[in-house]
Amino acid sequence: MVDALAAKVDVRGRAQAHVADTRTWARQAAARANVSVRAKTGPAVERARGYAVSAKKTASDSNRRTRALFGAGAAAVLLLVVVGVRRRRRTAHTRWYRR
């Protein structure tokens, strides 16, 4: 009887026990949630890894094509500039009414 009263009066001990119980419950809930999330997202993560590998390969392949296209575009622009400059120089010396 005295022990029961002493246990009721021991507020600090009861609080520590409650904190320990809550901590245990929270850890178990987190572990259950972790298992559930991994089970549900596992296939999606694997698919995403496959897509990432495919995207990296496509990006490295397109780098070569992109450089080639930029080179061809730069050459075309340079050709247009040269042709335009030559035409202007040729017609710049004539009078406007003779054109």
Side-chain angles (χ1 to χ4, degrees):
M1 176 98 152
V2 174
D3 292 334
L5 284 174
K8 272 189 167 181
V9 174
D10 186 18
V11 176
R12 183 175 179 195
R14 286 176 36 202
Q16 287 176 345
H18 184 69
V19 167
D21 290 344
T22 304
R23 186 179 297 136
T24 302
W25 174 83
R27 285 182 181 159
Q28 289 172 350
R32 284 192 305 270
N34 191 9
V35 168
S36 176
V37 166
R38 286 185 187 270
K40 290 179 182 177
T41 60
V45 169
E46 290 305 317
R47 267 187 277 138
R49 283 186 184 141
Y51 293 148
V53 169
S54 174
K56 284 179 184 177
K57 184 180 182 310
T58 302
S60 68
D61 290 347
S62 69
N63 264 346
R64 293 183 200 123
R65 280 187 242 129
T66 304
R67 278 188 255 138
L69 285 175
F70 275 128
V77 168
L78 182 64
L79 178 66
L80 291 174
V81 168
V82 168
V83 168
V85 167
R86 291 186 78 196
R87 281 187 182 174
R88 281 186 187 221
R89 282 188 182 174
R90 200 171 348 146
T91 59
H93 299 295
T94 61
R95 300 209 177 232
W96 63 271
Y97 54 85
R98 289 188 189 169
R99 288 186 198 168

